[in-house]
């Protein structure tokens, strides 16, 4: 079981919604961080409904990422 899952919104080769739904059904959403280059309040609200741990803005520093773990 992974400790942490990083999902990069900009690099997803599929629509993000089904990916987040799959992670939620699998019980992995609480261990998932979404990385995004351009957050919006509406998208963030929809994404957080899937139970993901957090959303962080790209670029990020190593200490910023570690603080989210």
């Amino acid at each position: 079981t992974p400790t942490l899952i990083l999902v990069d919104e900009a690099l997803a080769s599929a629509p993000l919604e089904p990916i987040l739904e799959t992670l939620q059904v699998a019980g992995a959403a609480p261990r998932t961080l979404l990385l995004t280059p351009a957050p919006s309040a509406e998208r963030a609200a929809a994404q957080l409904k899937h139970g993901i741990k957090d959303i962080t803005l790209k670029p990020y520093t190593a200490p910023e990422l570690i603080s989210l773990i």
Side-chain angles (χ1 to χ4, degrees), residues 41-56:
E42 293 142 0
R43 278 197 339 261
Q47 294 159 344
L48 288 170
K49 285 182 183 177
H50 291 287
I52 62 174
K53 180 176 175 72
D54 210 340
I55 298 171
T56 192

Side-chain angles (χ1 to χ4, degrees), residues 3-60:
T3 303
L4 183 66
I5 299 168
L6 300 176
V7 176
D8 191 326
E9 183 179 43
L11 298 178
S13 60
L16 193 57
E17 196 75 17
I19 294 170
L20 296 178
E21 287 173 5
T22 299
L23 290 168
Q24 185 177 27
V25 169
R31 298 185 306 275
T32 301
L33 290 176
L34 179 65
L35 311 173
T36 181
S40 78
E42 293 142 0
R43 278 197 339 261
Q47 294 159 344
L48 288 170
K49 285 182 183 177
H50 291 287
I52 62 174
K53 180 176 175 72
D54 210 340
I55 298 171
T56 192
L57 181 63
K58 290 173 48 179
Y60 51 84

